[in-house]
Structure formats: structure tokens, C-alpha cells
Amino acid sequence: MAENPAVPGFEPTNAEFEASATALSALTTSAEHHGQDPKSALHRPSSHDSSHTWLSKILPSSTLEAMETRFHMGNYVVIDRNTGEKEFEPMSIYVRVGMHLLFYGSQQEKILQWKETENILKAQSIKMGEEYDAPESKAHIESFIDSFDLRPTLPEYVEPDPSKYPNFNAFFAREIRADARPIADPSDARVISSPADCRLTGFPTIDLATRYWIKGFGFTVAKLLGDDKALAQTFEGGSIVIARLAPQDYHRWHAPTDGTVLSVKDVDGTYYTVNPQAINQPGTLDVFCENRRSVMTVQNQHTQFAIVAIGAMLVGSIKYVNGVENSGTEISRGQCLGAFYYGGSTVVVLYPRGMAVLDDDIVRNSTGELPCETLVKVGEKVGTLTV
């Protein structure tokens, strides 16, 4: 039996695969208890003793030991761009289970197990979307706010009163006030802004991105863009920005620079986790090219760029706002383009060769000896247009 490169020396059985699927189902079912602290269920840190105890009741010991040895418990993020200060963010237990399922889904030679993995992730993501669309899910809002210490941020939103949201998903995709995220240097049309409140990496070339960050097999720009080889040629030798939104983040994405929408193409896919452990893990599928996503191409004054909104594990939907998806729509830097509903998600921006120079600290953090993400907010400067 072939050894899976994701975990050398370890070959999963069907029973272990079924155990991982059972674990995910148990976690999403636990979220039906709306008043509970999210960090006691879906978002419980995987490094917590109770997480290991809970997983050990469901996963065979061989599976748990092999995966805990191979995958880390979280990620470091630069939280202060001036000082370089870093903070450790623990991986949630649902992401840990998602890593198990990514491992199984990466075994594409086992067609049945691969398809079963995709079906499980899709079913559980739809389940969470329906659960959090229900009026009863309002009860989850207050516990989510307290668990992630979001109360100080409420005045930033168009609707600051949590009780006014009809369900949890409406709160999750809440709209922010424009003055709460002013764009950097608004008079300078050359500035490139962050597309989201996110953990961001940026690379001067896509080749560097695949060397330092995107290590799963199967990644190509053409595949990311929905198998559009002609469009992919536009970005040959170009730069890439990857903005990862954690569940506690403001979950809308914005235009990084001005332009005119040329087209939007929705690409069907699955719902793997987009945690850095999934992106950085050699031998697993490249989740950016496997997950459900929407590709917007935009023309600026001289050339075009692409904004790819990528769903992730337990993300119910990706929705554009105010008709921005219509061809010919003029968009401006900092303008809201769309919203993700429950779960983590990612926005990837592709620039052609010579169009953009990314800020030094972003590139340095992304390509260092231990590459890591940088915490940034919508509108914050992350680069400069050169054309």
C-alpha cells in the first residue's frame, strides 16, 4: 500500500477515516447549543488538554499520534508591523479535524475515500450554514462576542447592537462603517491596500509563494483561476497577496485598488481548511485550487489584476454586495466587494509582473527563516502600484 507523503510511515484505514468524519459531525452538532462558549466546542484550542481527551475518544490512537506529531498546534502571526512583535494563535479543534480530512482527501488515488471526504466537508458546511441562518442562532451571537473579545469592536459596525441581527450569519457577515477602516493615503492612487482584516502574506513572485508558503501539490495559477490558461499567462512572473480571515475577523473583503470589473467566474469546489498548516504542508492537496471560490478580474488604468475569494471549511456561502459583480462596475480602493458567511476564508490577489511592489516588512515576514503572516486591517497599505 502506498505511503502518503503527508505523514511518512502512516497509512490510514477506512475506520480511521470514518472516525475523523464522526469527529467533525460531533463538533458541528455541538454548535447547535447556541448559548455556549464557542471555545468550548468548535473553537476550542487544539492544544488544550480537553481537546486531546475529546479527540482520543473518537480517533484511533495511531491516527491521533501520527497527526499530532506531524501537524503543529497553531501559528505565529506578526501583530505589530513597527516592532515585529509576534503572537501565537492556537489552532481550533475543528481545524485540527479538518487537517485529518485534508490528509485523507489528498489520497486521490483512492477515489472513493477522496470523494467521501469532499462530500463530508460539503455536507457539514451546508449544515452549519443552515444552522446559523436559523432565527434561533441569534442566541449564539453574545457568546461568540464574549469568547473572542469582540465587544470593544461593536461601535465600528453599521449596526452595533447585537440584538438587532436576525441570525448568527447576519452578525458574522456584519457591515463595517467606512470611517472605521479609512484607506491609507487616500489621495495617492498608487497605494495598494489590504483587502481584508486578516493575517496576510505577500510575495514578489508566485514562484516565491510556492517556495515559502503554498506547498500543497496541484497548485497552478490557471487552476486557481478556474482552469483559465489564457488569463493565467497575464500573471506569469507576477506577485501574489494572500489574506486569510479567521472566524473572529470582520468577514467582508474590499478592493485593494481602483478599477473596472471585467468578469466574475464562480468555481465549484470543496471546503478544506485554509489554516496555514494546510497551505504549508507538502504532500497534501493545494486547498486554494480545490476549494469553492469566485474569481473577479479587474482592469485598472494600464493592466488587469484578479481578486479570488476562497471559501473554507464550514463556510456557508460567498456573496457579492451592491451589484459589484456586474461587468463594467467601477470599484474604488477600500470599497466593500463581498461577504463570507460562517467559517474561515481567504482572499488571494494576483498582480501581473511589474504592476506592484509589496511592502518590505510584508515580504520579509512571508519569506523569513520561519515564514509567518502579518496582522493587517482593511485599507492598510501593503504595497505600491508601479503602473
Side-chain angles (χ1 to χ4, degrees), residues 84 90 147 173 181 219 227 282 289 304:
S147 181
R181 293 293 184 275
F219 177 85
D227 294 320
C289 292
Q304 61 183 267

Side-chain angles (χ1 to χ4, degrees), residues 14-31:
N14 287 336
E16 290 164 336
F17 169 76
E18 293 297 335
S20 293
T22 299
L24 180 59
S25 180
L27 283 169
T28 56
T29 298
S30 72

Side-chain angles (χ1 to χ4, degrees), residues 117-312:
T117 302
E118 292 189 338
N119 290 340
I120 287 165
L121 289 168
K122 182 176 182 178
Q124 293 299 322
S125 295
I126 291 172
K127 173 183 174 182
M128 289 302 298
E130 292 175 346
E131 177 66 30
Y132 285 147
D133 279 340
E136 294 80 9
S137 66
K138 283 186 66 171
H140 195 70
I141 295 174
E142 289 289 347
S143 58
F144 187 85
I145 290 170
D146 291 337
S147 181
F148 289 106
D149 195 25
L150 298 179
R151 205 163 295 281
T153 71
L154 294 179
E156 297 178 342
Y157 298 102
V158 172
E159 178 49 76
D161 184 352
S163 69
K164 298 291 181 64
Y165 291 91
N167 53 49
F168 180 75
N169 255 336
F171 173 77
F172 189 79
R174 57 202 178 275
E175 183 181 0
I176 206 163
R177 296 196 336 266
D179 62 345
R181 293 293 184 275
I183 59 172
D185 303 313
S187 62
D188 189 347
R190 299 173 304 159
V191 170
I192 297 172
S193 291
S194 170
D197 282 13
C198 62
R199 291 113 180 90
L200 185 138
T201 49
F203 303 90
T205 67
I206 295 167
D207 284 345
L208 278 175
T210 57
R211 183 189 310 172
Y212 286 96
W213 199 254
I214 307 173
K215 297 183 180 179
F217 64 81
F219 177 85
T220 67
V221 173
K223 190 173 180 182
L224 175 68
L225 297 173
D227 294 320
D228 191 329
K229 294 181 181 178
L231 181 59
Q233 289 180 348
T234 302
F235 303 107
E236 187 172 344
S239 52
I240 182 171
V241 169
I242 303 168
R244 178 176 67 91
L245 290 71
Q248 64 269 31
D249 289 327
Y250 162 62
H251 246 71
R252 296 192 177 209
W253 76 95
H254 295 237
T257 188
D258 301 341
T260 304
V261 175
L262 296 177
S263 65
V264 168
K265 177 182 180 180
D266 293 332
V267 183
D268 196 19
T270 190
Y271 299 84
Y272 290 115
T273 174
V274 292
N275 185 273
Q277 294 299 322
I279 310 304
N280 302 160
Q281 185 62 49
T284 57
L285 285 169
D286 175 70
V287 299
F288 292 156
C289 292
E290 294 293 328
N291 280 11
R292 182 170 172 244
R293 56 202 182 276
S294 186
V295 180
M296 173 183 278
T297 54
V298 184
Q299 179 74 42
N300 83 340
Q301 188 174 358
H302 301 286
T303 185
Q304 61 183 267
F305 61 98
I307 305 169
V308 186
I310 304 173

